[in-house]
């Protein structure tokens, strides 16, 4: 994931990271947490009628220089740039969202990082029930608690993994994947679908997710959810409210996107 304008020190400032930085497990975990808590998942460009750029230089400029977030290809792409700069081996994998009633194509992107002789699933862009720290691939069928969330990986006989999250006491499928490495260009068709297809959730509704230490904030359409260990609070928003929330809760621009959010 090479580009000419990614700078590791700028990345550290963007994610508010001042700690240890090396090609090791501790750094991998720390960087994922810091980026999750600093760079939101967002689809503002799609809502503005744009096809999201997968040019690495555009991603670095958008997320680092302009203070924006992005969806899976962008936030995971940025994370890959940081891993590469630190000398951490990684691969992109294609994942199939599994929470829809009908089978969907592999439109999601995640990362597999290799540090200290272990493979770790890393994903900073999966919305509501995204993981909050790397998950070791060699621990299938194990309940993994991350803050107030619980996840597990199920491995089947076809060498596929299924990520599940515990939702209201029941295991809910999130996405499946295998370990086959994908090239960056392999995600161009899926990105175009997610940016333009009328059935894509990113085209249909505004979607912003910001992880915070105590939970996460989710803006879907005109409903703001605040999720903590205590439960879920929902707030119905007007267009003026949405502009205010984007600016003050997510540190994102607003006016040009209002009108396609409800």
């Amino acid at each position: 994931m090479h580009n000419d304008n990614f700078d590791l020190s700028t990345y550290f400032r963007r994610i508010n990271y001042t700690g240890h930085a090396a090609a090791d497990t501790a750094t991998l975990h720390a960087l994922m947490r810091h980026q999750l808590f600093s760079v939101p998942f967002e689809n503002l460009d799609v809502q503005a009628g744009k096809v999201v750029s997968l040019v690495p230089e555009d991603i670095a400029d958008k997320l680092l220089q302009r203070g924006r977030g992005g969806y899976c290809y962008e936030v995971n792409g940025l994370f890959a740039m940081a891993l590469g700069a630190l000398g951490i081996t990684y691969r992109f994998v294609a994942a199939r969202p599994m929470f829809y009633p009908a089978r969907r194509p592999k439109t999601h992107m995640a990362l597999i990082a290799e540090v200290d002789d272990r493979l770790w699933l890393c994903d900073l862009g999966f919305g509501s029930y995204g993981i909050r720290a790397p998950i070791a691939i060699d621990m299938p069928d194990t309940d993994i608690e991350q803050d107030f969330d619980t996840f597990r990986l199920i491995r089947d006989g076809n060498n596929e993994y299924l990520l599940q999250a515990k939702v209201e006491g029941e295991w809910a499928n999130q996405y499946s994947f295998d370990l086959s490495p994908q090239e960056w260009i392999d995600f161009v068709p899926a990105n175009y679908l997610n940016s333009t297809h009328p059935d894509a959730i990113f085209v249909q509704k505004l979607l912003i997710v910001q992880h915070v230490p105590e939970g996460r904030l989710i803006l879907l359409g005109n409903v703001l959810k605040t999720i903590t260990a205590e439960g879920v609070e929902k707030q119905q928003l007007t267009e003026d409210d949405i502009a205010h929330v984007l600016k003050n809760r997510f540190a994102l621009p607003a006016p040009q996107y209002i009108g396609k959010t409800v």
Side-chain angles (χ1 to χ4, degrees):
M1 187 62 178
H2 171 76
N3 76 35
D4 295 324
N5 64 339
F6 177 83
D7 176 74
L8 194 58
S9 61
T10 302
Y11 173 77
F12 287 161
R13 288 194 298 272
R14 175 72 175 94
I15 68 171
N16 302 306
Y17 186 68
T18 59
H20 167 83
D24 59 25
T25 302
T27 299
L28 180 72
H29 281 68
L31 292 187
M32 180 170 165
R33 295 278 284 184
H34 276 260
Q35 184 177 322
L36 270 178
F37 295 160
S38 303
V39 181
F41 177 100
E42 52 109 326
N43 67 333
L44 294 176
D45 283 352
V46 176
Q47 285 290 293
K50 301 176 182 178
V51 176
V52 168
S53 174
L54 292 191
V55 175
E57 287 78 8
D58 291 345
I59 293 173
D61 177 68
K62 178 181 176 181
L63 277 62
L64 297 183
Q65 303 299 332
R66 295 194 280 131
R68 290 283 303 281
Y71 62 6
C72 68
Y73 318 110
E74 299 169 285
V75 292
N76 283 331
L78 181 69
F79 194 61
M81 296 176 202
L83 297 186
L86 288 168
I88 294 177
T89 300
Y90 68 88
R91 73 189 75 167
F92 298 114
V93 294
R96 188 187 314 279
M98 296 293 287
F99 50 79
Y100 293 102
R103 192 166 177 82
R104 292 290 187 103
K106 291 185 174 182
T107 55
H108 181 59
M109 171 212 280
L111 291 167
I112 301 295
E114 183 174 358
V115 289
D116 297 331
D117 298 319
R118 297 184 80 183
L119 297 179
W120 298 86
L121 171 66
C122 301
D123 190 358
L124 299 94
F126 195 66
S128 299
Y129 291 100
I131 60 176
R132 290 167 64 86
I135 291 180
I137 292 295
D138 60 4
M139 294 179 61
D141 304 312
T142 302
D143 291 7
I144 299 167
E145 295 186 3
Q146 296 182 347
D147 301 328
F148 53 86
D149 288 330
T150 305
F151 300 95
R152 70 180 180 185
L153 284 175
I154 304 297
R155 187 175 184 181
D156 66 18
N158 297 317
N159 292 320
E160 284 218 343
Y161 295 84
L162 173 64
L163 176 68
Q164 296 182 316
K166 188 162 281 189
V167 180
E168 298 179 354
E170 302 290 336
W171 287 110
N173 295 340
Q174 300 303 303
Y175 58 79
S176 64
F177 63 96
D178 61 38
L179 300 182
S180 302
Q182 305 294 306
E183 295 184 34
W184 181 248
I185 198 170
D186 293 334
F187 295 100
V188 170
N191 176 61
Y192 186 77
L193 183 149
N194 278 326
S195 287
T196 64
H197 198 285
D199 289 344
I201 183 63
F202 309 112
V203 174
Q204 294 174 352
K205 289 180 179 291
L206 178 66
L207 176 58
I208 318 288
V209 181
Q210 180 64 73
H211 288 258
V212 293
E214 62 274 15
R216 53 176 70 88
L217 300 173
I218 301 175
L219 178 59
L220 178 60
N222 63 344
V223 176
L224 177 66
K225 294 182 182 180
T226 302
I227 302 174
T228 65
E230 284 70 44
V232 180
E233 293 184 3
K234 295 182 181 181
Q235 181 182 359
Q236 201 87 5
L237 304 180
T238 66
E239 289 190 2
D240 288 341
D241 292 334
I242 292 171
H244 177 82
V245 165
L246 285 173
K247 179 180 179 181
N248 294 286
R249 302 294 296 276
F250 297 102
L252 290 170
Q256 64 268 43
Y257 303 103
I258 301 303
K260 291 187 66 179
T261 55
V262 295

